Amino acid sequence: MSARPPKKPRDLVDGVLLLDKPVGLSSNDALIKAKRVLNAKKAGHTGTLDPFATGLLPLCFGEATKFSQDLLEADKTYEATVHLGIVTTTGDTEGEAVETREVDVTPEQIEAALARFRGPINQVPPMYSALKRDGKALYEYAREGIVLEREARPVTIHALSLVEYAAPFLKIRVTCSKGTYVRVLGEDIGAALGCGAHLNALRRIEVGALDVTGMITLDALLAHPDPLSLLRPVDALLSTFPSVELTAELAKRFLQGQRLALGKEAIEVPQQQGRVRIYHDGRLLGTGQLGEYAILAPERLISTAP
């Protein structure tokens, strides 16, 4: 019996890929496929999309994974189609219909209902979710027919608008904080209208400062002759933070983890305190926290920086 050929070693790939996740594929499965195409050693995604959902799934490779947490915390924007009149077990098309009601609502009633959900709200997480109770995901309990009490959690709906209404389908656009379940929002809108609802479709179009510009489908990625050329630089994840350019000597000290008193140096620094991007000769070194008196404390460092 012949021995198996050795596996091809993975490459050190750094960057961000904006993937258009297809329907029916989990975020993790999409990540695995992309990672295989790029032959990347290290990869991660920046917030799960349900299998039935599509759209923007930023994938981080190599050094970019150090900054993926920022997108997990970021606001997100979705376009959702709410199917009024039918309630399902999961709040979307993957569940079974458990209640059907007549739909007789006006655009004015819809606008009034949407207004109730703008701003800070409390939302009860769905049973069909990956949240855990006693080490077990809620969806596992749900599949066993067990319904547990869940505490409402505060989330913020920054923007909620009606895109189109053609009964029984209601298309909305929503920008929301981390932890918001758009499925639950759709169900709650249906309940507010008195007819019940579930999500028929969900598409994510923005994550933080990233949008669908330059997004690529999985099929196009698989067929691309040079997939590495599709990667955006690591600092694509950090575009909302001000930047600081260091001299060679300061850059060396920064990468050694030293705090720097930039107020004593001929370095241009932003007026506001907080997180900043750090560069030398145009190359990203990492992020730091700029404090009082322009004291810069290293935060996350790029290990491949010169």
Side-chain angles (χ1 to χ4, degrees):
M1 184 176 179
S2 60
R4 290 183 179 180
K7 289 185 178 180
K8 180 182 177 182
R10 296 282 186 177
D11 297 327
L12 294 174
V13 175
D14 299 319
V16 181
L17 181 73
L18 302 186
L19 185 71
D20 185 353
K21 190 192 83 66
V23 68
L25 197 66
S26 74
S27 296
N28 196 53
D29 286 341
L31 173 66
I32 290 171
K33 290 178 181 293
K35 183 180 178 182
R36 188 178 298 127
V37 171
L38 296 172
N39 197 44
K41 188 173 183 179
K42 187 177 182 180
H45 61 69
T46 57
T48 302
L49 273 177
D50 288 339
F52 98 102
T54 66
L56 182 59
L57 181 66
L59 303 180
C60 298
F61 297 91
E63 292 296 300
T65 60
K66 294 179 178 178
F67 307 100
S68 60
Q69 184 65 33
D70 296 304
L71 289 193
L72 289 172
E73 304 286 336
D75 295 337
K76 298 170 179 67
T77 299
Y78 300 87
E79 288 184 343
T81 301
V82 181
H83 189 161
L84 300 177
I86 299 176
V87 177
T88 71
T89 52
T90 60
D92 57 31
T93 57
E94 296 190 322
E96 298 178 359
V98 292
E99 188 177 0
T100 301
R101 300 181 193 171
E102 182 180 352
V103 177
D104 182 20
V105 298
T106 65
E108 291 76 21
Q109 289 173 316
I110 292 170
E111 288 290 355
L114 296 183
R116 293 171 54 180
F117 297 98
R118 296 187 184 108
I121 63 171
N122 289 317
Q123 190 180 72
V124 178
M127 276 302 300
Y128 280 89
S129 69
L131 293 177
K132 291 191 175 181
R133 181 78 60 84
D134 297 328
K136 186 175 178 180
L138 289 184
Y139 66 78
E140 295 182 69
Y141 290 104
R143 288 171 180 170
E144 297 170 3
I146 300 171
V147 178
L148 302 177
E149 289 290 326
R150 287 99 63 207
E151 288 188 10
R153 305 189 306 176
V155 297
T156 302
I157 307 299
H158 299 290
L160 178 60
S161 60
L162 174 63
V163 176
E164 183 182 8
Y165 175 52
F169 296 105
L170 176 70
K171 188 173 183 180
I172 58 174
R173 182 178 290 113
V174 55
T175 300
C176 52
S177 66
K178 162 194 147 178
T180 303
Y181 287 91
V182 183
R183 274 183 293 143
V184 174
L185 179 62
E187 290 181 302
D188 289 346
I189 291 171
L193 290 169
C195 58
H198 71 279
L199 276 200
N200 178 264
L202 179 64
R203 184 166 180 78
R204 189 159 66 190
I205 57 175
E206 291 180 2
V207 178
L210 300 175
D211 59 25
V212 297
T213 305
M215 189 169 62
I216 187 168
T217 66
L218 194 55
D219 287 342
L221 175 66
L222 292 168
H224 200 281
D226 183 17
L228 289 176
S229 68
L230 300 171
L231 289 176
R232 297 188 178 199
V234 173
D235 57 2
L237 300 175
L238 305 170
S239 62
T240 57
F241 302 114
S243 63
V244 174
E245 180 78 21
L246 298 181
T247 64
E249 177 58 30
L250 291 175
K252 180 180 178 181
R253 290 169 55 194
F254 176 81
L255 291 173
Q256 290 172 344
Q258 296 182 29
R259 291 164 63 90
L260 305 175
L262 298 185
K264 299 179 181 180
E265 307 286 347
I267 299 293
E268 185 176 344
V269 296
Q271 292 184 348
Q272 69 270 33
Q273 298 179 20
R275 176 174 289 174
V276 290
R277 297 173 281 155
I278 306 300
Y279 293 85
H280 170 58
D281 279 347
R283 292 193 63 176
L284 180 70
L285 306 183
T287 60
Q289 287 289 335
L290 189 65
E292 198 173 9
Y293 307 115
I295 300 296
L296 176 66
E299 187 182 46
R300 300 174 196 160
L301 305 180
I302 298 291
S303 60
T304 55

